[in-house]
């Protein structure tokens, strides 16, 4: 158990809908990262938040957005869903300023299926 | 931009034997870290081992060790005394400290340990 939690584990929805994925980082970790794992694209970085502020964006679609709250949990919002958005979405956390600031620990992921 | 290449998509090994997974990367940065993550059928991303680029000594974690060749930009993972529980996808990943601080992953390699 990495200490990172993600909910829900599975999500099935229809095209055009909007969903929210939630992540709680390890205790004390200030950084949260979101990654998408799909069969054709592999593991892709989406976005990084540090202590509530956006630090970096990767291949994140405009239909997707994220935020990190004062209690450090993060949410990834996916809207106008398309079939191609079906994937495993991972959250990871790390502790900049702590020991091994470079190391990211992953949550169990949320499996999103768009029908 | 950094790239990570895992050229072997799949390997198999007999239980108790040793296997080596290869990874090469491309970067112009000097301050970086390399990782191997394991993804078993449960789909959880599990950190296997970490290597700091400025350290010449190869990292070791129990049955897992790396052969880090900085000049050749090579980072292979050796698994000794393979166990059935080692069956998983293995991903090599690159992290640049002070850059976007995202993990850049290879496409992964499927390892099967046979009894």
């Amino acid at each position: 158990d990495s200490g990172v939690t993600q909910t829900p584990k599975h999500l099935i929805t229809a095209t055009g809908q909007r969903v929210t994925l939630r992540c709680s980082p390890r205790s004390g970790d200030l950084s949260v990262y979101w990654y998408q794992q799909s069969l054709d694209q592999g593991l892709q970085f989406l976005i990084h938040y540090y202590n509530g502020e956006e630090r970096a964006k990767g291949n994140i679609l405009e239909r997707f957005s994220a935020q990190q709250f004062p209690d450090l949990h993060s949410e990834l919002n996916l809207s106008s869903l398309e079939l191609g958005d079906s994937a495993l979405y991972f959250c990871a956390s790390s502790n900049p300023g702590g020991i091994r600031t470079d190391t990211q620990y992953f949550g169990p992921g949320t499996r999103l299926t768009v029908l | 931009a950094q790239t990570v290449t895992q050229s072997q998509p799949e390997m198999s090994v007999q239980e108790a034997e040793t296997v080596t997974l290869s990874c090469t990367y491309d970067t112009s940065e000097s301050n970086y870290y390399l990782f191997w993550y394991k993804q078993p059928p449960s789909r959880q991303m599990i950190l296997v081992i970490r290597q700091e680029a400025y350290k010449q000594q190869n990292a070791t974690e129990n049955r897992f060790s790396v052969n880090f060749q900085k000049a050749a930009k090579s980072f292979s993972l050796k698994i000794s005394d393979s166990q059935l529980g080692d069956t998983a996808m293995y991903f090599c990943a690159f992290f640049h400290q002070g850059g976007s601080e995202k993990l850049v992953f290879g496409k992964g390699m499927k390892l099967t340990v046979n009894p």
Side-chain angles (χ1 to χ4, degrees):
Chain A
D1 185 357
S2 67
V4 179
T5 60
Q6 288 187 250
T7 56
K9 283 188 167 48
H10 302 278
L11 201 47
I12 301 174
T13 188
T15 54
Q17 295 298 305
R18 181 180 189 276
V19 297
T20 297
L21 313 183
R22 182 187 169 104
C23 167
S24 292
R26 295 184 319 156
S27 177
D29 282 3
L30 301 177
S31 270
V32 169
Y33 304 79
W34 287 96
Y35 293 86
Q36 178 194 59
Q37 185 178 30
S38 61
L39 283 175
D40 54 343
Q41 296 290 327
L43 273 155
Q44 298 282 324
F45 166 73
L46 295 178
I47 198 162
H48 169 207
Y49 274 84
Y50 171 76
N51 203 19
E53 293 189 5
E54 181 185 303
R55 287 287 288 262
K57 268 186 175 180
N59 300 321
I60 188 166
L61 300 171
E62 285 191 10
R63 301 183 285 109
F64 295 2
S65 65
Q67 53 184 330
Q68 187 179 26
F69 295 86
D71 67 352
L72 301 177
H73 91 271
S74 177
E75 292 181 357
L76 179 66
N77 300 296
L78 315 176
S79 61
S80 302
L81 285 167
E82 302 175 359
L83 295 178
D85 297 328
S86 294
L88 187 54
Y89 291 84
F90 284 108
C91 166
S93 75
S94 70
N95 185 9
I99 299 172
R100 293 199 169 184
T101 63
D102 49 280
T103 302
Q104 296 180 24
Y105 297 90
F106 283 73
T110 293
R111 164 73 69 188
L112 173 66
T113 302
V114 182
L115 301 176
Chain B
Q2 293 83 19
T3 58
V4 176
T5 302
Q6 294 178 251
S7 56
Q8 306 154 300
E10 196 164 350
M11 291 182 75
S12 63
V13 65
Q14 292 300 120
E15 200 174 4
E17 291 186 346
T18 295
V19 63
T20 299
L21 286 58
S22 63
C23 171
T24 58
Y25 60 95
D26 189 24
T27 184
S28 58
E29 304 295 343
S30 56
N31 183 21
Y32 59 89
Y33 300 78
L34 296 163
F35 301 87
W36 280 96
Y37 283 87
K38 165 185 174 180
Q39 187 176 40
S42 66
R43 307 308 298 270
Q44 172 81 49
M45 291 291 287
I46 301 167
L47 176 65
V48 175
I49 202 164
R50 164 187 178 269
Q51 175 74 44
E52 298 162 78
Y54 61 87
K55 284 191 176 178
Q56 291 188 338
Q57 185 174 5
N58 289 322
T60 299
E61 290 285 345
N62 300 313
R63 297 183 295 107
F64 299 89
S65 62
V66 300
N67 183 4
F68 174 48
Q69 302 289 328
K70 191 172 183 179
K73 296 181 181 172
S74 168
F75 182 61
S76 61
L77 174 70
K78 185 171 84 170
I79 306 175
S80 304
D81 186 26
S82 296
Q83 300 176 358
L84 297 179
D86 295 332
T87 293
M89 285 289 292
Y90 286 82
F91 293 91
C92 178
F94 173 99
F95 178 90
H96 171 221
Q97 187 91 53
S100 65
E101 298 192 345
K102 64 180 181 181
L103 283 167
V104 177
F105 287 92
K107 290 191 182 300
M109 195 223 69
K110 182 178 179 182
L111 176 68
T112 302
V113 180
N114 298 308

